[in-house]
Amino acid sequence: MVLPDASTVNVASLIRTPNAPKWTASASLVSEVPVQGTSGLQTRLSWTGRSRRYFMSDPVSQPFLDQLTGRPAGSFDLMLTLRDLPIGGLRLDLSAWAENLGKPQAVRGVDLAQLGVATLIYDQPRRFGVTFSLPR
């Protein structure tokens, strides 16, 4: 960084990589029970998580950087699948799923410090759905 008197200061230790958490993790629990014949009910519960993320990389020119970071966040997803169902001469899989079952988390902040304005952008909203598929 160049100061007004033309001297330089090394700010490398202050700079953060934007939009990149230090860690991410995921875990899933999957179980299946037989239903009838070759059919089965499969349950999948998944969790994904990450450490906090910074939107801006330079805390020197962005004084509100710490208020505009995405906090550590985790999300649960659930899927129930009836596998190998005989329907109309075909064998189908029928899945009901839900994503982001936790509380929505701020994932990104925008600091327009010179204008005195800041905002947060949130994670994906909760979603639900049903899927039909042909097994391989």
Side-chain angles (χ1 to χ4, degrees), residues 49-105:
R50 62 165 172 76
S51 63
R52 71 188 302 180
R53 290 195 288 190
Y54 295 94
F55 181 64
M56 303 292 188
S57 62
D58 181 7
V60 175
S61 65
Q62 302 296 325
F64 302 110
L65 180 67
D66 283 334
Q67 289 94 340
L68 295 171
T69 60
R71 291 186 293 258
S75 174
F76 285 96
D77 300 337
L78 177 66
M79 182 185 305
L80 300 172
T81 303
L82 284 169
R83 296 174 24 91
D84 206 24
L85 291 174
I87 298 177
L90 296 173
R91 310 272 316 165
L92 299 174
D93 290 350
L94 169 64
S95 299
W97 49 268
E99 293 178 344
N100 199 11
L101 294 175
K103 180 180 173 187
Q105 297 288 323

Side-chain angles (χ1 to χ4, degrees), residues 98-104 123-128:
E99 293 178 344
N100 199 11
L101 294 175
K103 180 180 173 187
D123 204 353
Q124 291 287 331
R126 189 168 295 124
R127 299 185 328 154
F128 301 94

